[in-house]
Amino acid sequence: MSKRKKKREKILLVEDDHGVAFLTRENLEEEGFEVDLAYDGSQGLEKLNQNSYDAILLDHRLPDMNGIEMMKEIQRRGIEIPQIIVTGAGDERIAVKAMKSGAYDYVVKTGDLSYLVALPITIRMSLERYNLAKEKEGLERQLKDYTLLLERKVEERTKELLELNENLEQLVREKTKELKETQAQLVQAGKLAALGTLGAGVAHELNNPLTVVSAEADEILDAVNHGYLDQNLVVVSAQNIKSHAERMRVIIDHIRQFARDDKNSEWKKISINDPIRDSLILLRTQLESLGIEILLELDENLPKIWGHHNKLESIFQNLITNARDAFKNIKDRRHKTIKIRSYQKDRDKIVVEVADNACGIPKDVLPNIFNPFFTTKDVGSGTGLGLSITHSNVKEHGGEISVISKAGEGTTFILTFPLERRKKLKTSNE
Ligand SMILES: Nc1ncnc2c1ncn2[C@@H]1O[C@H](COP(=O)(O)OP(=O)(O)OP(=O)(O)O)[C@@H](O)[C@H]1O
Ligand SMILES: [Mg+2]
């Protein structure tokens, strides 16, 4: 049989009237069907058990059971096959019942057997409907499978995405931690750099008392050598030496305390004037020697803010050294001043202004000054970190920093600190 040749559909015909059965078979075979015969219900069921058929043609009146009973038995046995019921004329009610019970179609017998002409068409249509229904079923099953597959894929992908998201969050957490560490190192580096910038000043600060100590010692030695050692002179000199040694101790202590890593330093209620004054310990003498007058207008009755002494001191050191450097660009003989004012604004703010009358900041430079590593100073004399660290220190206190400057006339930094700042706010910044 060539592959192209269409397969003949196999029909089981259950009909107790032998004559009708033969005639029907002949007619169907002529139409291209293969037909098997059974003469009663049980024979039909047996044949269905042994062979497979494409469709079954069932006479309703059978000797051992009726067509509908047989249909039900076929369904009970799980045999899926289109069933066409053949009823006698006038039995249309049975046809309706059969259709309700799952028959694919029905044919009404006529006495002249003319119904045989329509029979092949009825069978073909039933087969087609059956095949279509099967195809639909298959497609629906496929669709269901695809839907399930898709749902599983979506589920897997969602899981993957969630994991990815979690990894990403973990990465962000790690990076944030790294960044905080780097920032802390940067602050420490900036502080050491600030100390470096202060270096010359520190030498200055120590030189002064050292000179006094040395001069007093010379005087005592001189007196001893010339034999006019007077007890009063020794006492005065020793007191002078002591007070200047004390001054040196304060300076050295201060450097040690300031350079210390901040991790263990405390946050507490602080009077803003303390770090302002302390910031001058290492700077005052050198500012004086440069002819820069420091004017302090500090309100002594200010409420305390929540703060970190070293960080606040570092803020004022940075602003004062910047002002000091800005006077290097002044060629005229103006009276150089750095004025620091502290005062309360409204009920909830403390303001500190650091104002100089030095060279000022040109308009095109102004937007950059808080950027890390931005400097207009010569290579080696500025790291450009001062104001960026100052900015983050002010922010850590919940404060704001702004600047007003006019090229050639001077610069004022305005710092605002909140009064109602709780410990938790500072810890969230740590
Ligand atoms: N009071 C000021 N007067 C004029 N210019 C200023 C003043 N304060 C800051 N600037 C300008 O802002 C720039 C950045 O200041 P910043 O303190 O961040 O870095 P720096 O002073 O250059 O270096 P360092 O890291 O040593 O502080 C300075 O180079 C300077 O041009
Ligand atoms: Mg600076």
Side-chain angles (χ1 to χ4, degrees):
M1 192 162 74
S2 105
K3 274 191 177 169
R4 280 166 178 266
K5 199 164 173 190
K6 211 181 158 213
K7 173 185 156 268
R8 278 153 61 97
E9 279 107 348
K10 202 169 166 185
I11 312 294
L12 177 64
L13 171 62
V14 190
E15 168 66 66
D16 61 327
D17 185 324
H18 287 229
V20 174
F22 289 140
L23 256 172
T24 311
R25 177 166 72 184
E26 205 177 276
N27 181 49
L28 288 178
E29 280 176 350
E30 264 172 37
E31 289 297 325
F33 294 102
E34 195 183 325
V35 182
D36 213 353
L37 290 178
Y39 299 107
D40 57 32
S42 28
Q43 205 184 2
L45 290 170
E46 209 178 302
K47 290 214 165 203
L48 275 170
N49 267 352
Q50 289 157 2
N51 308 296
S52 75
Y53 298 95
D54 294 306
I56 179 166
L57 205 58
L58 266 177
D59 188 21
H60 183 58
R61 284 167 203 243
L62 293 169
D64 51 352
M65 60 184 82
N66 69 38
I68 293 174
E69 282 164 355
M70 186 167 170
M71 264 177 44
K72 288 196 172 144
E73 181 56 24
I74 293 170
Q75 287 161 10
R76 198 187 62 77
R77 294 183 184 196
I79 301 170
E80 262 193 73
I81 185 173
Q83 302 159 68
I84 300 158
I85 201 124
V86 184
T87 64
D91 276 349
E92 281 82 358
R93 278 192 25 236
I94 289 173
V96 173
K97 206 169 157 199
M99 293 297 282
K100 279 190 183 155
S101 306
Y104 251 67
D105 213 340
Y106 68 93
V107 178
V108 180
K109 270 182 187 172
T110 50
D112 56 1
L113 299 181
S114 60
Y115 75 96
L116 290 181
V117 182
L119 201 54
I121 301 165
T122 309
I123 296 173
R124 287 241 147 75
M125 277 169 61
S126 289
L127 281 172
E128 209 153 295
R129 266 175 46 220
Y130 176 78
N131 289 338
L132 276 174
K134 283 283 137 199
E135 209 173 307
K136 186 175 161 233
E137 230 172 70
L139 285 172
E140 275 170 358
R141 209 174 311 119
Q142 243 179 30
L143 191 72
K144 209 167 145 196
D145 287 351
Y146 281 145
T147 313
L148 275 176
L149 195 77
L150 205 71
E151 276 172 3
R152 219 174 23 245
K153 281 226 172 301
V154 168
E155 221 169 82
E156 278 168 19
R157 197 80 188 104
T158 312
K159 203 170 144 225
E160 270 174 35
L161 280 173
L162 279 174
E163 277 170 13
L164 206 74
N165 197 25
E166 218 164 87
N167 290 345
L168 213 70
E169 276 175 9
Q170 174 67 17
L171 199 73
V172 169
R173 272 197 296 275
E174 279 168 19
K175 287 283 163 208
T176 313
K177 193 168 159 241
E178 268 175 39
L179 206 70
K180 275 194 173 160
E181 280 167 11
T182 317
Q183 200 191 17
Q185 283 166 7
L186 207 66
V187 169
Q188 190 60 10
K191 214 159 60 176
L192 294 178
L195 269 183
T197 330
L198 289 170
V202 172
H204 227 109
E205 299 290 335
L206 289 174
N207 242 353
N208 248 15
L210 263 178
T211 312
V212 175
V213 168
S214 179
E216 291 292 0
D218 280 346
E219 201 160 318
I220 294 170
L221 282 175
D222 216 33
V224 171
N225 288 339
H226 292 88
Y228 62 85
L229 191 62
D230 164 354
Q231 197 177 348
N232 274 348
L233 178 120
V234 175
V235 170
V236 171
S237 291
Q239 274 169 346
N240 215 4
I241 288 172
K242 205 165 176 246
S243 83
H244 282 86
E246 177 60 20
R247 164 90 185 128
M248 286 192 280
R249 196 186 59 73
V250 169
I251 292 167
I252 289 163
D253 267 5
H254 194 76
I255 294 171
R256 204 181 288 140
Q257 183 201 350
F258 184 71
R260 198 176 61 201
D261 199 333
D262 283 331
K263 264 182 208 145
N264 299 319
S265 310
E266 267 182 275
W267 280 79
K268 55 184 179 213
K269 286 272 185 181
I270 279 182
S271 161
I272 194 76
N273 297 338
D274 293 342
I276 294 177
R277 287 204 177 87
D278 281 357
S279 69
L280 289 164
I281 292 180
L282 302 180
L283 287 164
R284 191 179 281 280
T285 314
Q286 69 165 299
L287 292 173
E288 275 166 13
S289 73
L290 290 167
I292 302 167
E293 187 183 4
I294 292 282
L295 300 167
L296 292 183
E297 283 180 20
L298 308 180
D299 180 343
E300 300 301 342
N301 299 313
L302 289 179
K304 292 185 172 178
I305 64 160
W306 187 258
H308 186 287
H309 187 99
N310 275 6
K311 287 176 199 271
L312 289 167
E313 183 180 329
S314 151
I315 291 173
F316 301 117
Q317 269 182 0
N318 275 318
L319 296 178
I320 296 165
T321 46
N322 277 349
R324 173 200 69 191
D325 296 343
F327 282 114
K328 289 182 190 154
N329 305 325
I330 295 295
K331 299 281 175 274
D332 55 43
R333 297 176 56 109
R334 72 180 72 169
H335 177 61
K336 302 169 189 167
T337 58
I338 297 176
K339 184 151 107 183
I340 307 178
R341 274 182 75 205
S342 66
Y343 58 93
Q344 180 166 0
K345 188 179 171 197
D346 306 329
R347 286 183 53 220
D348 55 347
K349 289 184 203 84
I350 296 289
V351 181
V352 180
E353 289 179 10
V354 180
D356 63 60
N357 64 339
C359 65
I361 306 172
K363 268 198 183 125
D364 56 328
V365 171
L366 206 57
N368 304 316
I369 58 170
F370 291 105
N371 294 343
F373 304 108
F374 175 83
T375 180
T376 55
K377 293 171 190 169
D378 294 339
V379 182
S381 38
T383 62
L385 284 174
L387 282 180
S388 97
I389 290 169
T390 300
H391 182 263
S392 66
N393 274 341
V394 173
K395 284 276 162 196
E396 246 185 288
H397 285 80
E400 299 290 337
I401 179 166
S402 61
V403 58
I404 301 170
S405 187
K406 196 154 183 219
E409 290 186 16
T411 305
T412 302
F413 283 92
I414 302 153
L415 287 69
T416 314
F417 297 98
L419 277 172
E420 283 305 314
R421 193 158 171 81
R422 301 275 172 252
K423 203 172 183 175
K424 69 176 165 50
L425 291 174
K426 152 267 147 182
T427 29
S428 73
N429 273 328
E430 268 187 350

